[in-house]
Amino acid sequence: MTGVWEQWDHVKKIDPAKTLHNRDSYAGIASTGTDAIILGGTTNVTESSVRSILDALVSVEIPVFVEPTYHPTKFHHDTLTGYLIPIVLNAGDRTWVTGAHHEWVRSTETIDWELTHTVAYIVLNSESSVATYTQAGCDLDVDDVVAYAELAEQILGQQIVYLEYSGTLGNSAIVAAARDALSSAQLFYGGGIHDYESACEMASVADTIVVDNVLHEAGIEAVEATVRGATDAHHES
Ligand code: 1GP
């Protein structure tokens, strides 16, 4: 299954700590045309909230990954395609570089490495809860970001590099420069995508765009618009 994300234009991240909009259902998210679902959030995510969303997604046909930011115990679930383990390259707290990972490997008897992949995050919005939580150093210029992207791929062997602007639309020139620095790793972009135009703008400079808040704030139709934006941007390029 290595590299399944290479086919992804658009990903819906679901934060189990947030509620859905109006009458939206979790299963309805899969019919927006998004290519994959990632369950993950920064704080207040519990294994039981993840499990109940996996139950609700049991009939969906797109891949469903869990990004375990809660104490990552290992569990099986029919809906689960695999794990995406975050590594925050610019974290000030080394828990998010190797600390939590060390504890997980140490405390878990057998890890299914076939299903376990890593994501190299570069956190860029200093106002976001992920920046606070990981004590990320977000004061980075384009050369800093490019260097992080390159070291992620060439030194750490990462296959996914994720520019995380969570909550705000990022700088598309920085995103483009990071993607240009990668040779085969996939560049994910997330943050502030809320409509067709913002999706188009970021999808034209990233390999994969990730949307989260738009679902909780505006609902499934708004997510559909972001899928169209991603699709159109990739068809045009
Ligand atoms: C969060 O990058 C994602 O991890 C998406 O951010 O909530 O701003 O869409 P938004």
Coordinates of all heavy atoms in Angstrom, one line a residue, residues 12-13 18 40-42 67 121 130 162-169 189-194 210-217, ligand 1:
K12 N -10.0 15.0 3.4 CA -10.8 15.6 4.5 C -10.2 15.1 5.8 O -10.2 13.9 6.1 CB -12.2 15.2 4.3 CG -13.1 15.7 5.5 CD -13.2 17.2 5.4 CE -13.8 17.8 6.7 NZ -12.8 17.9 7.8
K13 N -9.7 16.1 6.6 CA -9.3 15.7 8.0 C -10.5 15.9 8.9 O -11.2 16.9 8.8 CB -8.2 16.6 8.4 CG -7.3 16.0 9.5 CD -6.3 17.0 10.0 CE -4.9 16.6 9.6 NZ -3.8 17.3 10.3
K18 N -14.4 17.9 17.4 CA -15.4 19.0 16.9 C -16.7 18.3 16.4 O -16.7 17.2 16.0 CB -14.7 19.7 15.7 CG -13.5 20.5 16.1 CD -13.0 21.3 14.8 CE -11.6 21.9 15.0 NZ -10.9 22.1 13.7
G40 N -8.0 13.1 13.0 CA -6.9 13.5 13.8 C -7.2 15.0 14.2 O -7.8 15.8 13.5
G41 N -6.7 15.3 15.4 CA -6.8 16.7 15.9 C -5.7 16.9 17.0 O -5.1 15.9 17.3
T42 N -5.6 18.1 17.4 CA -4.4 18.3 18.3 C -4.7 18.0 19.7 O -3.9 17.4 20.4 CB -4.0 19.8 18.2 OG1 -3.7 20.1 16.8 CG2 -2.8 20.1 19.0
E67 N -4.6 9.5 12.6 CA -3.4 10.2 13.0 C -3.4 10.3 14.6 O -4.1 11.1 15.1 CB -3.5 11.6 12.4 CG -2.2 12.4 12.5 CD -2.3 13.7 11.8 OE1 -3.1 14.6 12.3 OE2 -1.7 13.9 10.8
Y121 N 5.6 17.1 9.5 CA 4.9 18.4 9.5 C 5.9 19.5 9.7 O 6.9 19.4 10.4 CB 4.0 18.5 10.7 CG 2.6 17.9 10.6 CD1 2.5 16.5 10.7 CD2 1.5 18.7 10.3 CE1 1.2 15.9 10.5 CE2 0.3 18.1 10.2 CZ 0.1 16.7 10.3 OH -1.1 16.2 10.1
V130 N -1.9 23.7 17.3 CA -0.8 22.8 17.1 C 0.5 23.5 17.3 O 1.4 22.9 17.9 CB -0.9 22.1 15.7 CG1 -0.8 23.1 14.6 CG2 0.2 21.0 15.5
Y162 N 4.2 17.9 5.1 CA 2.9 18.6 5.3 C 3.2 20.0 5.8 O 3.7 20.2 6.9 CB 2.2 17.8 6.4 CG 0.7 18.1 6.6 CD1 -0.2 17.1 6.7 CD2 0.2 19.4 6.8 CE1 -1.6 17.4 6.9 CE2 -1.1 19.7 7.0 CZ -2.0 18.7 7.1 OH -3.3 19.0 7.3
L163 N 2.8 21.0 5.0 CA 2.9 22.4 5.4 C 1.6 22.7 6.1 O 0.5 22.7 5.5 CB 3.1 23.4 4.3 CG 4.4 23.2 3.5 CD1 4.6 24.5 2.6 CD2 5.6 23.0 4.4
E164 N 1.7 23.0 7.4 CA 0.5 23.1 8.3 C 0.3 24.5 8.7 O 1.0 25.0 9.6 CB 0.7 22.2 9.5 CG -0.4 22.3 10.6 CD -1.8 21.8 10.1 OE1 -2.4 22.6 9.3 OE2 -2.2 20.7 10.5
Y165 N -0.7 25.2 8.0 CA -1.1 26.5 8.4 C -2.4 26.5 9.2 O -3.1 27.6 9.2 CB -1.2 27.4 7.1 CG 0.0 27.9 6.5 CD1 0.7 27.2 5.5 CD2 0.6 29.2 6.9 CE1 1.9 27.7 4.9 CE2 1.7 29.7 6.2 CZ 2.3 28.9 5.3 OH 3.5 29.4 4.7
S166 N -2.8 25.4 9.7 CA -4.1 25.2 10.4 C -4.7 26.5 10.8 O -4.2 27.3 11.6 CB -3.8 24.4 11.6 OG -5.0 24.2 12.3
G167 N -5.9 26.8 10.3 CA -6.7 28.0 10.7 C -6.5 29.2 9.9 O -7.3 30.2 10.0
T168 N -5.5 29.2 9.0 CA -5.3 30.4 8.2 C -4.7 30.0 6.8 O -4.0 29.0 6.7 CB -4.3 31.4 8.9 OG1 -4.3 32.6 8.2 CG2 -2.9 30.9 8.9
L169 N -5.1 30.8 5.8 CA -4.6 30.4 4.5 C -3.1 30.9 4.4 O -2.7 32.0 4.7 CB -5.4 31.2 3.4 CG -5.4 30.6 2.0 CD1 -5.9 29.2 1.9 CD2 -6.2 31.5 1.1
Y189 N -0.7 20.3 1.8 CA -0.9 21.6 2.3 C -2.2 21.6 3.1 O -3.2 21.1 2.6 CB -1.0 22.7 1.2 CG -1.5 24.0 1.8 CD1 -0.7 24.9 2.4 CD2 -2.9 24.2 1.9 CE1 -1.1 26.0 3.0 CE2 -3.4 25.3 2.5 CZ -2.5 26.2 3.1 OH -3.0 27.3 3.8
G190 N -2.2 22.2 4.3 CA -3.5 22.4 5.0 C -3.5 23.7 5.7 O -2.5 24.2 6.2
G191 N -4.7 24.3 5.8 CA -4.9 25.6 6.5 C -5.8 26.6 5.8 O -5.4 27.0 4.7
G192 N -6.9 26.9 6.3 CA -7.7 28.0 5.8 C -8.5 27.8 4.5 O -9.0 28.7 4.0
I193 N -8.4 26.6 4.0 CA -9.2 26.4 2.7 C -10.6 26.3 3.0 O -11.1 25.5 3.8 CB -8.6 25.1 2.0 CG1 -7.2 25.3 1.5 CG2 -9.6 24.8 0.8 CD1 -6.5 24.1 1.0
H194 N -11.4 27.2 2.4 CA -12.8 27.2 2.8 C -13.8 27.3 1.7 O -15.0 27.4 1.8 CB -13.1 28.4 3.8 CG -12.6 29.7 3.1 ND1 -11.3 30.1 3.0 CD2 -13.4 30.7 2.5 CE1 -11.3 31.3 2.4 NE2 -12.5 31.6 2.0
V210 N -5.5 19.6 2.2 CA -6.2 19.0 3.3 C -7.1 20.1 3.9 O -6.7 21.2 4.1 CB -5.2 18.6 4.4 CG1 -6.0 17.9 5.6 CG2 -4.2 17.6 3.9
V211 N -8.4 19.7 4.1 CA -9.4 20.6 4.7 C -9.9 20.0 5.9 O -10.1 18.8 6.0 CB -10.5 21.0 3.7 CG1 -10.0 21.6 2.4 CG2 -11.5 19.9 3.5
D212 N -10.2 20.9 6.9 CA -10.7 20.4 8.2 C -11.9 21.3 8.6 O -13.1 21.0 8.4 CB -9.6 20.4 9.2 CG -10.1 20.0 10.6 OD1 -11.3 19.8 10.8 OD2 -9.3 19.9 11.5
N213 N -11.6 22.5 9.1 CA -12.6 23.4 9.7 C -13.8 23.7 8.8 O -14.9 23.8 9.4 CB -12.0 24.8 10.0 CG -11.6 24.8 11.5 OD1 -12.2 24.1 12.3 ND2 -10.6 25.6 11.8
V214 N -13.6 23.8 7.5 CA -14.7 24.1 6.6 C -15.9 23.1 6.8 O -17.1 23.5 6.8 CB -14.3 24.2 5.1 CG1 -13.8 22.8 4.7 CG2 -15.3 24.7 4.2
L215 N -15.6 21.9 7.1 CA -16.7 20.9 7.4 C -17.5 21.3 8.6 O -18.7 21.3 8.6 CB -16.2 19.5 7.5 CG -17.2 18.5 8.0 CD1 -18.1 18.1 6.8 CD2 -16.6 17.2 8.5
H216 N -16.8 21.6 9.7 CA -17.4 21.8 11.0 C -18.1 23.2 11.0 O -19.1 23.4 11.6 CB -16.4 21.7 12.1 CG -15.6 20.4 12.1 ND1 -16.2 19.3 12.6 CD2 -14.4 20.1 11.6 CE1 -15.3 18.3 12.4 NE2 -14.2 18.7 11.8
E217 N -17.6 24.1 10.2 CA -18.1 25.5 10.2 C -19.2 25.7 9.1 O -20.2 26.4 9.4 CB -17.0 26.5 10.0 CG -16.3 26.8 11.3 CD -15.0 27.6 11.1 OE1 -14.8 28.1 10.0 OE2 -14.3 27.7 12.0
Ligands
1GP1 C1 -5.6 21.0 10.0 O1 -4.3 21.4 8.0 C2 -5.5 21.1 8.5 O2 -4.7 20.0 10.4 C3 -6.6 21.9 7.9 O3 -6.7 23.2 8.5 O4 -8.8 23.5 9.7 O5 -7.7 25.4 8.6 O6 -8.8 23.6 7.2 P1 -8.1 24.0 8.5

